[in-house]
Amino acid sequence: MLTTRIDTDPLPLFQTFDFAQRRALVAAVSGGSDSLALLLLTKDWLARTAPDVRLVAVTVDHALRPGSAGEAWQVARICARHGISHRILRWTGPKPATGIPAAGRLARYRLLAEAARLEGTDVILTGHTADDQAETVLMRAGRLAEKQDARGLAGMATVTLFEGETWIARPLLGARRETLRDFLRNRHEDWLDDPTNVNETFERPRMRAALGRDDDRRIATALADAASAAHNRRRLGEEAAALIRTHATYPCPGLIRLAPDFAKAAPDAAVYALRILLGAAGGASHLPDLARAQTVFARIVEERFCATLSRTVIDARKQGIFLRREARHLPAPAAPVEDAVWDGRFRLHVTGGAQDLTLAPTGMAAAKTQEIDAVAAPASLARAARATLPRLWREGEYLGGLEAPVSLHGVSGAPVVGPWALFLPGFDLAPAAVTAGLIGAKSHPPPPLAGHIASKA
Ligand SMILES: Nc1ncnc2c1ncn2[C@@H]1O[C@H](COP(=O)(O)OP(=O)(O)OP(=O)(O)O)[C@@H](O)[C@H]1O
């Protein structure tokens, strides 16, 4: 059990972070013991180290259970008692028939990120604890046999970048839940118990109950394994980033080129680099399967090899290994929507009324009629890549492509490193950042970490 005297000293938990540069922090508070402890510890920490930083508590009412609105108001009352600003945000969108937990989670982070934006900050604090971390890695270890990709065993990172813009920071990852509850009991603070946390039809409550019956040793082992997996994941990410930096170029929009000697690089790092580049080129929702990427990597050493993986055509030739979005299953023509991500590859920004505009894939016929700049790539590949890029039309009249970083009739499309990076854990920042630089995507904001830690986010 963690022995830190957090009843008087939040320092050991918070010293990883540097919030002084932020105008405000948003604390995500459900009212449960973890997030309530987070709120009070953060308040103490800011009072001591950064009194100018505003603390705002936000509760998301998912409106999935009767009574959820009342609970949010209970959190409001606790915050009022402590003089902390508090907002309640309600998930009002349509609820899916299946996959409610995942949809609710995404909606919650979107609402929290929106609240952070309104407060002029890019940091959301959550109350994830060491117990949550142990549950996460043990659940993932249970599923690993099927997938064999050990990245997930690293668990949750201290900081995770959400949608490329907002940091989710987890100061309590080193604290045990019971220690936090002792802290609250000492302060005579009551917390709310969420019935979903003990509903054993869900995987996490089942794991939580199983762990509760065990001794602490299983949790300690899981945490040590997670720390070592995180170290390995970060190191592999840095090696992959180095390979991307030295071997990858972006000769023309939509086409990534790897120098031929990439095929001779150390397989573990090269396969990881390849998966990340496939994620960027194809825009698929997840990184490609590890085993399939290993098979492709083993074959790109052949002088002529062509395969499709994860919506991406991999075309290995004498001039290099080229990656581009395959022509199948591109989005149907539709009006551009503000902040939507087109085909998992371009985030749209729509300023004017775009009602009469249509966004559609360029298509091969149109790509063939356009000039191809002199590029370090075969013209046929440059055209095939261009055919998959978004074009803007108005009533059958072609207006232009969205690959240039300028607004066209109030619409622009900024490249993104791919949906796999929607929640980007700190361990993966290095390969994601170098990929962003390669394809012209926005670079990530500085993480809210103390200087000596930030370089290793
Ligand atoms: N309704 C809510 N309103 C505000 N914050 C919340 C809410 N629910 C959860 N959180 C935040 O998320 C943290 C984790 O909560 P919980 O473990 O219940 O969620 P989860 O969905 O398992 O987490 P994850 O974000 O890892 O998927 C909490 O400590 C709190 O900071």
Side-chain angles (χ1 to χ4, degrees), residues 28-30 34-35 38 58-60 62 105 108-109 112 125-128 132 156 197 204 208:
V29 185
S30 62
D34 308 348
S35 57
L38 168 83
V58 174
T59 304
V60 175
H62 295 95
R105 175 174 185 258
R108 173 164 78 245
Y109 281 109
L112 290 166
L125 306 178
T126 62
H128 292 101
D132 292 320
M156 289 176 276
N197 287 340
R204 184 177 287 277
R208 188 166 291 180

Side-chain angles (χ1 to χ4, degrees), residues 355-410:
Q355 299 87 343
D356 57 345
L357 299 175
T358 303
L359 204 55
T362 301
M364 205 51 180
K368 273 188 181 154
T369 62
Q370 289 162 23
E371 281 284 299
I372 293 284
D373 299 335
V375 290
S380 61
L381 295 187
R383 277 197 196 96
R386 176 175 284 177
T388 71
L389 297 176
R391 302 275 131 171
L392 205 59
W393 303 80
R394 185 193 281 131
E395 288 161 11
E397 181 203 355
Y398 167 62
L399 302 174
L402 282 197
E403 70 269 10
V406 289
S407 175
L408 192 68
H409 298 265

